[in-house]
Amino acid sequence: MAGYICKIVIENTHPSVWRRVVVPERITFEELHEIIQILFSWENEHLHEFEVPGDRIYISDRDDTWANYYNESETLIDAFFKNYKWLRYTYDFGDNWRHRINIEKIDEEYQKRTATLLKFKGDNFTEDRDWEEDNVQNIFNASKVQQKLNCMNLSLHEELQQVKLLKESLCHLTENLKKLSELDVDVLQSQVAALRNDLYGACNPMKIKIEAWKKANEEGMEHLLIETPEKSQNLLLMDLGEKEAADYYKYLRIPRTEIMTREEQVQEISKVLLKHPEYLYYIFDEKEYAELKVWMELPKGTATKKIQNIHMFVKTFAMGLADFKAVENGGEIRFATDSKHFIDAVDTKTRKNVYHLLHKFDDRMGKLIQVYGVIELDSLYQMYKKLYDNHMGKDDFLRVIYWHCRFNDFMDTVYQVDGTAYAASKELDARKVILKIQDYAGELSYAEYSRKEIEHKAYDLANRSAWLNILFTTFQYRMKMHPYEAQDFLIQVVGAVMSGYALDEIILSLRKECAQTWSIELSTEIWTVIAGIMLDLELPMLKGRSRTQYAEEMKRSPWTVGMITESEQITNSKEKHMYQFPVEVQQQMYEAGQYGDEQSLKHLLKYKEQNQVCSEEYIYLLAEACVTFDKPDMAEKLIRQLKRSSAVGKREARELENRLQQRHEVVDDDLFDDFDWTSPTYERVQQPYVRTSAKIGRNDPCPCGSGKKYKKCCGRN
């Protein structure tokens, strides 16, 4: 008996909404669907579907006959949960609630036939949100959810998978026999080779080996025994599946002009690596390479209890440089018989030069990805060539991208249906960004910056918008957050902005995440600051332009570039927030508050009167702009209205009143315009007084000779 520990996340939610749960083995996808419905309080009134995105495999309750489709009532989760890191579950194709099912761990000691909720974050969303208020959430009740999960009767489906596999195999065999009878000999040979590769990939020894290694380490491997080598690197690479072999071809930029068997692919991969042992440095960093050499030099039969770099061995297995077998309380490792041909084939100077070039590439690429976020590989190559290395060929560039950056998870690469390839930051939802690129900047080229500008923007995020420091200060001091918490919230906001989320979506997410009541002043400050960030930051969806730059280029308002969602108009009330007003009103309010634009102030006052606006945030922001830019008559009228609004409004009005009074009490700077601050008079005032004659008493005769006492004459003043 065992169970799968999964983290099920509703995608594109900020802050993230998720449930961590243990589901028992040998249940169907139909039962998993019912578990997810309970976890998120869905009503099971809409269509749904499971998907393995990478391999385009679909599982649902609909009847279909095409090759990559499975019926959920006849398909067990086990084969998928053991071979994939994550799956997607989509519910309601109208609202498109996408759930990412991350398979985190297999619990071998789990004995229950019910699902168990371990942890959760965020409340449940209301179904059919288009017919009600958007983004309404229901309080999550963990105990009630667990009670419902306990009521599920999850049977052991011992024979179901075997029957299903047999049925699929027979259908597959029948179809292929029919097709084979119609093919000529040459095509038949290629089809047989492809079929063999498919069948071989179903069990994929490389994946099984790596998973066995990870599992052994998770369970606390007590020892690792170095055994005598048995296989060459070529033979060990034969454990690669069809897909992995094809990926290696792509990563290493090996030309592929004809249909090749997996064996032929592997042989070519091995030849290329043997001819170019420096490619290994793309995979192993300096520390890993040095550690690998130490391990390979250990005497056979050596047993060790401490494994410092688990990930390094995963790379070693994937490169065909070692084999692994799990044994009781530990494991056995056998290095390839010819592994030293790959490891010691390059001299120290060459190795240092390669690592030096890779370090420079990582630094440069890191800056470019930080600035652009998501960028077409062809454009990225041209940009890299122009800014950093005019001599680097495209194949060399892509080899470093795939074989070094992509292989080591420094970045993601994404392919579109039309064949366009993108490099993307791992923190962003690249596919969502690409859709927005097509909406706003599909016909535009990427914004160009000099090396100095790229380094300035990438060196510190605050260089890209002064508002970022203000937001951090607001979180830390106004909202009493710990610096680490303030930093997390700041990163959250920046990630949402870079991913193309609207102003109202970001603020709503913050309100739900923060466990405190926002004052009118705080609400308006956060609205202003986040709006400033959204206008300043260079965005992936605008191909490296800020909204302000894009607007200037396209001759349109930056506030029309996805700043606000097209939601229903909120009714007039004192509680109406700034982000709930029409986009043109928000734009005018922002410009009035930042620049004191008199035309905007007049429009806003007129809008207020025409629509009888009673929103405290609106009145506060308008009054604050009038105070800041010395419009006392307007300010006083607005402050009086805010006073009458509510007790909260009255407190905020008093603060504005104090600020207005302070401005009136300031001495007019014009009085000092004609004063010569460098005159001898000013200098004497600044110097200490030194007495040069005897002190004159108040009752002494005045030295002017008038005959009067000093206090009655010159000493009067």
Side-chain angles (χ1 to χ4, degrees), residues 139-165:
I139 302 298
F140 182 77
N141 190 327
S143 60
K144 189 176 179 180
V145 166
Q146 190 58 58
Q147 288 176 3
K148 289 183 178 180
L149 292 174
N150 291 338
C151 293
M152 291 187 68
N153 182 23
L154 301 176
S155 306
L156 276 168
H157 301 280
E158 295 283 358
E159 300 178 359
L160 181 61
Q161 187 68 5
Q162 296 178 9
V163 173
K164 179 72 167 72
L165 288 173

Side-chain angles (χ1 to χ4, degrees), residues 362-601:
D362 290 346
D363 179 63
R364 295 164 175 176
M365 194 54 57
K367 292 171 183 175
L368 288 171
I369 290 296
Q370 188 172 333
V371 172
Y372 290 95
V374 178
I375 181 171
E376 292 177 22
L377 276 180
D378 287 343
S379 299
L380 182 61
Y381 169 63
Q382 296 299 331
M383 198 176 295
Y384 187 88
K385 246 183 107 173
K386 182 178 179 181
L387 292 174
Y388 300 111
D389 190 350
N390 191 43
H391 301 291
M392 179 175 263
K394 189 172 182 179
D395 269 351
D396 291 334
F397 176 82
L398 293 176
R399 189 178 296 110
V400 181
I401 289 287
Y402 287 123
W403 195 243
H404 174 63
C405 299
R406 178 69 179 85
F407 199 101
N408 286 286
D409 287 333
F410 294 161
M411 66 175 67
D412 282 333
T413 52
V414 181
Y415 283 85
Q416 292 296 91
V417 178
D418 61 1
T420 308
Y422 291 82
S425 168
K426 294 187 70 66
E427 284 72 34
L428 299 178
D429 186 344
R431 297 195 181 278
K432 181 177 180 178
V433 172
I434 291 168
L435 290 175
K436 289 185 176 291
I437 289 175
Q438 295 168 354
D439 290 339
Y440 291 106
E443 301 301 320
L444 296 177
S445 59
Y446 285 88
E448 294 188 10
Y449 299 103
S450 66
R451 287 178 61 172
K452 188 175 181 180
E453 288 174 321
I454 291 287
E455 291 183 11
H456 178 74
K457 293 177 184 296
Y459 179 72
D460 186 359
L461 190 62
N463 290 329
R464 299 168 69 179
S465 175
W467 290 108
L468 290 165
N469 282 330
I470 298 173
L471 184 59
F472 181 82
T473 303
T474 301
F475 285 149
Q476 185 176 359
Y477 296 107
R478 295 290 306 281
M479 302 178 73
K480 310 299 181 184
M481 292 184 182
H482 188 278
Y484 290 131
E485 187 183 9
Q487 183 176 309
D488 288 341
F489 272 94
L490 182 65
I491 292 170
Q492 201 176 95
V493 170
V494 171
V497 172
M498 297 290 285
S499 297
Y501 285 89
L503 178 57
D504 49 333
E505 292 176 314
I506 297 171
I507 295 179
L508 274 170
S509 178
L510 276 178
R511 282 185 172 276
K512 291 170 185 174
E513 189 78 9
C514 297
Q516 58 179 277
T517 303
W518 291 12
S519 66
I520 299 171
E521 183 187 8
L522 181 60
S523 296
T524 55
E525 181 177 338
I526 288 178
W527 173 84
T528 303
V529 173
I530 294 179
I533 293 171
M534 293 180 70
L535 293 169
D536 285 352
L537 284 187
E538 294 83 8
L539 302 176
M541 72 181 200
L542 302 179
K543 293 188 172 180
R545 299 168 178 81
S546 69
R547 279 184 169 90
T548 304
Q549 292 169 327
Y550 178 82
E552 291 174 358
E553 192 172 335
M554 303 300 292
K555 309 298 181 189
R556 60 186 289 187
S557 166
W559 283 77
T560 62
V561 190
M563 283 286 286
I564 305 295
T565 57
E566 296 180 0
S567 56
E568 289 186 18
Q569 192 68 36
I570 307 298
T571 56
N572 190 20
S573 69
K574 292 187 293 185
E575 292 77 25
K576 187 174 182 177
H577 300 293
M578 275 308 305
Y579 55 81
Q580 294 170 330
F581 282 89
V583 64
E584 61 272 12
V585 174
Q586 295 189 54
Q587 179 179 356
Q588 287 179 345
M589 187 68 80
Y590 181 85
E591 291 173 352
Q594 296 308 304
Y595 315 115
D597 183 63
E598 191 163 349
Q599 195 67 26
S600 294
L601 286 172

Side-chain angles (χ1 to χ4, degrees), residues 591-597 601 624-632 663:
E591 291 173 352
Q594 296 308 304
Y595 315 115
D597 183 63
L601 286 172
E624 186 182 41
C626 291
V627 170
T628 303
F629 296 101
D630 200 21
K631 310 286 182 188
R663 287 188 66 86

Side-chain angles (χ1 to χ4, degrees), residues 143-289:
S143 60
K144 189 176 179 180
V145 166
Q146 190 58 58
Q147 288 176 3
K148 289 183 178 180
L149 292 174
N150 291 338
C151 293
M152 291 187 68
N153 182 23
L154 301 176
S155 306
L156 276 168
H157 301 280
E158 295 283 358
E159 300 178 359
L160 181 61
Q161 187 68 5
Q162 296 178 9
V163 173
K164 179 72 167 72
L165 288 173
L166 181 60
K167 186 174 153 185
E168 289 177 356
S169 299
L170 289 171
C171 290
H172 192 61
L173 181 61
T174 303
E175 290 174 4
N176 278 282
L177 286 172
K178 185 178 178 181
K179 291 177 182 178
L180 290 174
S181 63
E182 302 171 355
L183 299 176
D184 59 32
V185 176
D186 294 335
V187 177
L188 180 61
Q189 288 179 344
S190 64
Q191 290 287 341
V192 170
L195 180 61
R196 184 178 65 177
N197 289 334
D198 289 341
L199 293 171
Y200 193 85
C203 57
N204 200 334
M206 184 68 75
K207 282 187 178 179
I208 294 172
K209 183 194 304 180
I210 292 173
E211 289 303 316
W213 167 259
K214 291 179 179 178
K215 182 180 177 181
N217 281 281
E218 287 173 359
E219 294 176 350
M221 189 185 302
E222 295 183 6
H223 68 272
L224 182 62
L225 187 66
I226 309 289
E227 291 288 4
T228 305
E230 292 181 344
K231 298 180 180 178
S232 66
Q233 188 244 17
N234 192 312
L235 288 175
L236 290 174
L237 280 178
M238 293 297 292
D239 289 342
L240 289 172
E242 175 70 18
K243 183 179 181 303
E244 286 77 14
D247 284 344
Y248 278 38
Y249 252 67
K250 179 176 69 177
Y251 293 169
L252 288 167
R253 311 304 297 167
I254 303 173
R256 188 178 180 184
T257 56
E258 59 183 54
I259 297 175
M260 302 174 68
T261 65
R262 183 179 53 80
E263 288 85 353
E264 291 171 334
Q265 290 176 353
V266 167
Q267 288 175 3
E268 191 62 31
I269 292 167
S270 184
K271 287 179 184 176
V272 170
L273 291 175
L274 191 61
K275 187 178 179 181
H276 297 279
E278 69 274 11
Y279 291 170
L280 293 182
Y281 308 144
Y282 294 21
I283 304 297
F284 300 98
D285 62 32
E286 294 167 280
K287 187 177 179 181
E288 290 172 335
Y289 184 82

Side-chain angles (χ1 to χ4, degrees), residues 596-609:
D597 183 63
E598 191 163 349
Q599 195 67 26
S600 294
L601 286 172
K602 289 180 179 179
H603 280 204
L604 290 166
L605 284 167
K606 186 178 180 181
Y607 177 84
K608 176 185 168 298
E609 297 301 325

